[in-house]
Amino acid sequence: MRITLGVTGGVAAYKAAELARRLQQEGFSVQVVMTRSAREFIAPLTFAALTGEKVITDLFAAPSGGPANLDSAIEHIAVAQRTDLLLVAPATADTLAKFARGLADDFLSTLYLAAAAPVVVAPAMNVNMWRHPATQENIAMLRARGVRIVEPGEGYLACGMTGAGRLAEIDEILAAVREALQLKRDLAGETLLVTAGPTCEDLDPVRYLTNRSSGRMGYAVAEAAARRGARVILISGPTALAAPEGVERVSVRTAEEMHRAVLEKFPACTAAVFAAAVADYRPVEKLPQKMKRNKAPLTIALEPTPDILADLARQKGQRVLVGFAAETEHVAENARKKLAAKNADLIVANDVSAPGAGFDLDTNIVTLYARDARENALPQMSKFEVAQRILDEVLRLRATPRLVPAARRSQA
Ligand code: C5P
């Protein structure tokens, strides 16, 4: 998700750098927009370095800071309109007045009028400016329009006075952002282990056996869980994807390595999602030198790899385990069988041959098969949205006590 962070000219502008960082740690991408007076307090370079994105400073300036340019104004607005939320911190009395009255004489105030996204403002100013009826009227007007106001705190102000006007604490601003985006933090306290991507089983130094897998589904689960407050350990086979913000990634290559990494991390986790496309077989022998081409037919001896999910399910305790079933036929039948055979709590099944589902796509069409026989066929949706639904089920299953057969209960 993308947040546009408007920084306006007050002493608290330096705190916006820390805010930008914290937003990124929560998994948001951050586009910073600075007003002219903000640039008197802090340099755009600070934000550019932190966010890895060009900072927008002027309505008409070309990205390189060149001459007035209408194209760049239109492009800037287009970029900024793609935001999921506009956050202004610190917001000066001047910016609040512009927003309230609909003045649009710089980039930020123009964006406020142009963007349809929710708006959060965190005012910071001198106590008298804050209490002034003009400011309070503007605040009331903005609030009535649905803008979320993160009220300034009491304390020592840079002007030497003490009172209301300090920028709210960063945690408070983050909470308002989450609330505005209706983001749940319902996985706080959980540790989720996620496997993702393919594994590569080497035949010789240049050839290997693998499965088709981009890793996107597992990475989406890891990212969604981190945003919902979980600690996430992502054990990933080779993929081209960057680790999502706030996720601990352990990179592995083979099924054997993935198995070892999962065994090591499993005790710490409260739930695990096995989204990796683990190779089912590996060459019995890995040749030390590149195999030479030959006219004769070639037979390669293969042996099964460890079934990581099935193995860990034997020692799962109260953990919720999620497996995937990528099928090309008899999807429901295979999914139900897998649920029982692997002792999983949830199987996410998809027909990888269906349009809109499967490899290298941003969308998926899945059905969830839960251990309590609840089945839920989801329509085509983004992998991120599928990830959210999987996590909803994980929470539901965690809250539902597992029935332990009487015979086993006595041993436990
Ligand atoms: O048996 P199949 O490969 O279809 O099972 C798919 C599920 O089992 C996936 O969740 C996959 O990550 C997991 N799996 C595993 N280790 C294997 C094979 C599959 O964890 N060796």
Side-chain angles (χ1 to χ4, degrees):
M1 251 185 242
R2 209 172 159 71
I3 291 191
T4 302
L5 172 61
V7 182
T8 72
V11 183
Y14 76 94
K15 295 183 184 168
E18 176 64 14
L19 180 59
R21 189 78 207 108
R22 292 282 302 278
L23 286 166
Q24 285 183 303
Q25 281 165 353
E26 297 235 340
F28 297 109
S29 59
V30 180
Q31 165 72 65
V32 173
V33 174
M34 297 181 79
T35 60
R36 181 186 300 275
S37 53
R39 282 177 279 144
E40 302 288 340
F41 289 93
I42 183 167
L45 188 61
T46 303
F47 292 106
L50 285 172
T51 62
E53 301 205 26
K54 284 196 187 86
V55 171
I56 303 179
T57 50
D58 286 306
L59 191 48
F60 294 103
S64 55
N69 176 339
L70 185 59
D71 285 349
S72 73
I74 292 167
E75 191 195 315
H76 275 166
I77 291 285
V79 167
Q81 271 184 306
R82 268 180 251 135
T83 193
D84 294 297
L85 180 125
L86 171 62
L87 166 65
V88 184
T92 56
D94 178 61
T95 300
L96 296 172
K98 280 186 192 167
F99 282 11
R101 308 291 155 166
L103 288 178
D105 64 348
D106 65 3
F107 188 84
L108 188 60
S109 51
T110 306
L111 175 64
Y112 168 73
L113 293 183
V119 180
V120 177
V121 298
M125 64 197 72
N126 162 286
V127 58
N128 289 344
M129 290 172 79
W130 172 245
R131 289 206 187 124
H132 197 284
T135 303
Q136 288 304 315
E137 255 176 49
N138 290 334
I139 287 283
M141 210 182 269
L142 290 172
R143 193 173 269 136
R145 218 180 272 154
V147 172
R148 252 161 236 267
I149 317 285
V150 193
E151 298 258 348
E154 302 257 344
Y156 174 78
L157 304 175
C159 55
M161 295 175 74
T162 304
R166 284 180 90 242
L167 182 70
E169 295 302 325
I170 289 184
D171 284 336
E172 232 180 295
I173 300 174
L174 291 175
V177 164
R178 281 186 223 114
E179 206 182 290
L181 290 169
Q182 290 175 338
L183 291 180
K184 297 172 267 187
R185 297 284 288 176
D186 51 1
L187 288 172
E190 302 283 340
T191 299
L192 186 75
L193 185 149
V194 182
T195 70
T199 67
C200 297
E201 311 301 330
D202 294 328
L203 184 58
D204 69 20
V206 291
R207 283 113 173 181
Y208 57 86
L209 295 176
T210 192
N211 276 324
R212 280 183 67 181
S213 168
S214 65
R216 285 189 209 192
M217 192 58 245
Y219 276 60
V221 171
E223 184 176 354
R227 287 200 197 163
R228 283 167 71 164
R231 173 183 172 215
V232 181
I233 304 165
L234 172 63
I235 299 177
S236 174
T239 73
L241 304 173
E245 284 279 345
V247 164
E248 301 167 41
R249 179 165 65 175
V250 180
S251 296
V252 297
R253 180 170 171 81
T254 64
E256 181 81 49
E257 283 172 24
M258 185 174 278
H259 190 206
R260 234 180 294 136
V262 171
L263 276 174
E264 188 193 320
K265 302 289 183 186
F266 194 70
C269 80
T270 53
V273 176
F274 292 84
V278 184
D280 290 321
Y281 293 93
R282 66 180 164 221
V284 171
E285 223 187 332
K286 182 185 163 189
L287 302 174
Q289 305 301 336
K290 185 180 168 190
M291 195 194 295
K292 290 289 170 249
R293 184 188 161 89
N294 203 315
K295 288 255 158 51
L298 173 67
T299 304
I300 300 167
L302 301 176
E303 62 186 3
T305 55
D307 187 330
I308 305 170
L309 168 54
D311 183 35
L312 274 295
R314 282 190 276 274
Q315 52 188 79
K316 70 177 177 180
Q318 288 302 311
R319 295 177 187 86
V320 172
L321 262 48
V322 181
F324 279 71
E327 304 289 347
T328 52
E329 57 180 357
H330 309 305
V331 179
E333 198 185 319
N334 286 327
R336 291 187 196 114
K337 253 192 234 160
K338 219 162 264 185
L339 188 63
K342 299 210 180 210
N343 192 20
D345 300 283
L346 184 74
I347 289 285
V348 184
N350 64 341
D351 180 347
V352 286
S353 59
F359 314 113
D360 276 319
L361 287 177
D362 276 326
T363 57
N364 214 348
I365 307 168
V366 306
T367 301
L368 307 181
Y369 297 85
R371 64 160 189 253
D372 55 2
R374 221 200 260 201
E375 300 185 358
N376 191 2
L378 303 177
Q380 178 174 343
M381 50 178 70
S382 70
K383 286 185 174 170
F384 192 73
E385 190 58 36
V386 171
Q388 300 283 14
R389 301 299 188 93
I390 294 170
L391 295 171
D392 290 344
E393 271 298 277
V394 167
L395 270 181
R396 185 183 71 78
L397 290 166
R398 247 178 84 66
T400 319
R402 198 169 292 142
L403 294 176
V404 180
R408 291 235 310 271
R409 210 179 300 144
S410 56
Q411 295 165 16

